[in-house]
Amino acid sequence: MAYFGAMETPAALPRDIWERTPPEAQAYIGALETRVTALVAMVQALQEQLRQTSRNSSRPPSSDPPLPQHPHRPRGQRRRGGQPGHPGSTRTLIPVEEVDEVVVIKPAQCTHCQAPLSGDDPQPWRHQVIELPPSKPVVTEYQWHQLACPACGETTRAPWPAGVPSRTYGPRVQATVALCTGAYRLSKRTTQQVMAEVFGVPMRVGTISLLEQATTAVVAAPVEEARTYVHEQAVAHLDETSWCQGGKRAWLWVAVTSLVTVFLVRMSRGGQVARELLGAQFSGILVTDRYSAYNGYPVRWRQLCWAHLLRDFEAMRGRGGRSEEIGDALLAQAHQMFAWWHLVREGTLKRSTFRSYMSPLRREVERLLEAGSRCGVPKTAGTCRDILKRRQALWTFVQVEGVEPTNNTAERSIRPGVLWRKGSFGTQSAEGSRFVESMMTVVATLKQQQRSVLEYLTAACEAALRGEAAPSLLPASAQTSQAAA
């Protein structure tokens, strides 16, 4: 109810009654109406907040309320587990020449007539048992002698052998500690217990922190090389999530390319961190959500995440009225687009055909967004206008091969960081954050390339002891091309 300008008559009261109302009462009614309008707006905002789930907002799935119980259905006739005719899944046996021990089991006599048996079965049934050997650390003692010269009396100590640690623990111990805390996200005390109980290596909690810092220094050069490699890629997915450093708000950032993934922990969520990740000369396609930190990049070089758009359309549908109609229509178009896209990825729909299908769909989506910008529901109208500002970035994946319509790649890559934050509440210092971003870079990148994290970290620690460079995180093809350049 709009009222209260210069003695404007409220719609709820006839004019003659309003004119007979004392000015003090009119002012009081106007104040009440102002409060009622504010309270209605607050209630509407709370109702929309209560309706938010991971399907219509950026909230994580773990914050969703419990699912309602589905109606009880009568139990079917099928038994649990694999059904008849279903192909089984069994562990592949290790080749005989690679096993450590072969135990031959032969029957001594016939079970029918008890006659003695001899010979070999040309195709014996094979059964393999995998067991871990008892873990006992290898302790090497170095007795460092210094001897006096019988001629001049000068004392000489032998030179320290190359590759021998000056600390108590060797490179594989250091790599295992970094793997436990940096890849498996174990706490320092849990890592201490694992090292003692599983590997028989006693260790103080403070030593674990020192080994983490040493590992950060060991992989610093390869991590920096990987960050530089990102600057030159044709497509990069970026995302960020909240972090905590020393009790202060920080942010964990990720940039994902086809073969390398890098992380940064910074105290800012601003665009300068995105530019640090991508470099000043980045000219590839940037796949992100609509967060403003990425607005400095040209729209023609961007792809907006359609998974986020689906959540926006779900939110529109939940507001009722005209907003619901537009949200329903946009969701229908988006689901059709994804159905075609999945066929393209499977190779059953040609990209040229997909492009021809997408032309009318693009026009309809943009028409619906234009209608939504004028629908009269403020949040829906604002969302539609914001999307339309970047409408060109909705369709980059249609024209450019190698570009995905969603940013799920980055969201999956940053999920371990979210779990790390929830388990440890972030880091206590900048040194701890450097360890986090370095180890997450190493683990994610090696996983992409199907390389062993433990073997890489061990090799890197051994190289540092010899005064050599750590192995590169880049794939062999990229190392060759960079060396040629």
Side-chain angles (χ1 to χ4, degrees), residues 267-298:
M267 305 303 292
S268 169
R269 200 189 178 193
Q272 71 273 13
V273 186
R275 290 189 291 274
E276 181 181 354
L277 274 169
L278 295 173
Q281 305 300 322
F282 180 76
S283 58
I285 303 298
L286 179 61
V287 185
T288 67
D289 54 23
R290 297 199 320 276
Y291 179 51
S292 59
Y294 310 115
N295 289 346
Y297 290 88

Side-chain angles (χ1 to χ4, degrees), residues 435-465:
F435 176 72
V436 168
E437 62 188 24
S438 298
M439 282 302 301
M440 290 194 68
T441 296
V442 169
V443 172
T445 297
L446 295 178
K447 182 179 178 181
Q448 283 177 277
Q449 301 173 25
Q450 299 181 340
R451 295 163 63 185
S452 169
V453 179
L454 179 59
E455 295 307 316
Y456 173 86
L457 290 173
T458 302
C461 294
E462 290 174 344
L465 288 174

Side-chain angles (χ1 to χ4, degrees), residues 271-343:
Q272 71 273 13
V273 186
R275 290 189 291 274
E276 181 181 354
L277 274 169
L278 295 173
Q281 305 300 322
F282 180 76
S283 58
I285 303 298
L286 179 61
V287 185
T288 67
D289 54 23
R290 297 199 320 276
Y291 179 51
S292 59
Y294 310 115
N295 289 346
Y297 290 88
V299 176
R300 66 182 181 275
W301 293 349
R302 293 185 61 188
Q303 170 62 55
L304 294 184
C305 176
W306 274 84
H308 284 75
L309 293 174
L310 285 176
R311 295 199 285 266
D312 291 331
F313 300 159
E314 286 280 359
M316 293 178 191
R317 184 165 67 174
R319 295 180 187 126
R322 179 62 175 151
S323 176
E324 182 177 3
E325 296 175 7
I326 292 170
D328 276 333
L330 285 168
L331 281 170
Q333 296 296 319
H335 291 152
Q336 179 61 75
M337 180 272 290
F338 275 112
W340 289 336
W341 175 251
H342 293 152
L343 294 177

Side-chain angles (χ1 to χ4, degrees), residues 226-265:
R227 290 173 181 162
T228 303
Y229 180 76
V230 169
H231 303 170
E232 306 163 358
Q233 300 311 294
V235 181
H237 295 249
L238 262 67
D239 199 11
E240 75 290 327
T241 188
S242 59
W243 191 259
C244 182
Q245 177 180 302
K248 297 181 180 179
R249 189 71 175 270
W251 298 91
L252 175 67
W253 291 73
V254 64
V256 184
T257 65
S258 59
L259 292 171
V260 168
T261 297
V262 300
F263 291 84
L264 289 177
V265 177

Side-chain angles (χ1 to χ4, degrees), residues 50-54 59-68:
L50 289 173
R51 288 195 298 266
Q52 286 184 353
T53 66
S54 60
R59 294 176 58 178
S62 59
S63 67
D64 288 347
L67 294 174

Side-chain angles (χ1 to χ4, degrees), residues 110-186:
C110 174
T111 56
H112 179 66
C113 66
Q114 284 73 49
L117 299 176
S118 62
D120 295 313
D121 184 347
Q123 292 184 332
W125 185 73
R126 298 173 63 203
H127 171 65
Q128 294 181 346
V129 176
I130 299 176
E131 178 61 293
L132 291 174
S135 181
K136 185 178 185 300
V138 176
V139 180
T140 304
E141 178 178 329
Y142 295 89
Q143 298 183 353
W144 199 8
H145 288 254
Q146 60 179 8
L147 301 175
C149 176
C152 66
E154 181 70 22
T155 301
T156 302
R157 186 185 292 273
W160 191 252
V164 176
S166 58
R167 293 189 294 268
T168 305
Y169 301 104
R172 186 168 289 272
V173 172
Q174 178 179 335
T176 303
V177 168
L179 189 71
C180 288
T181 61
Y184 304 147
R185 301 184 298 276
L186 301 182

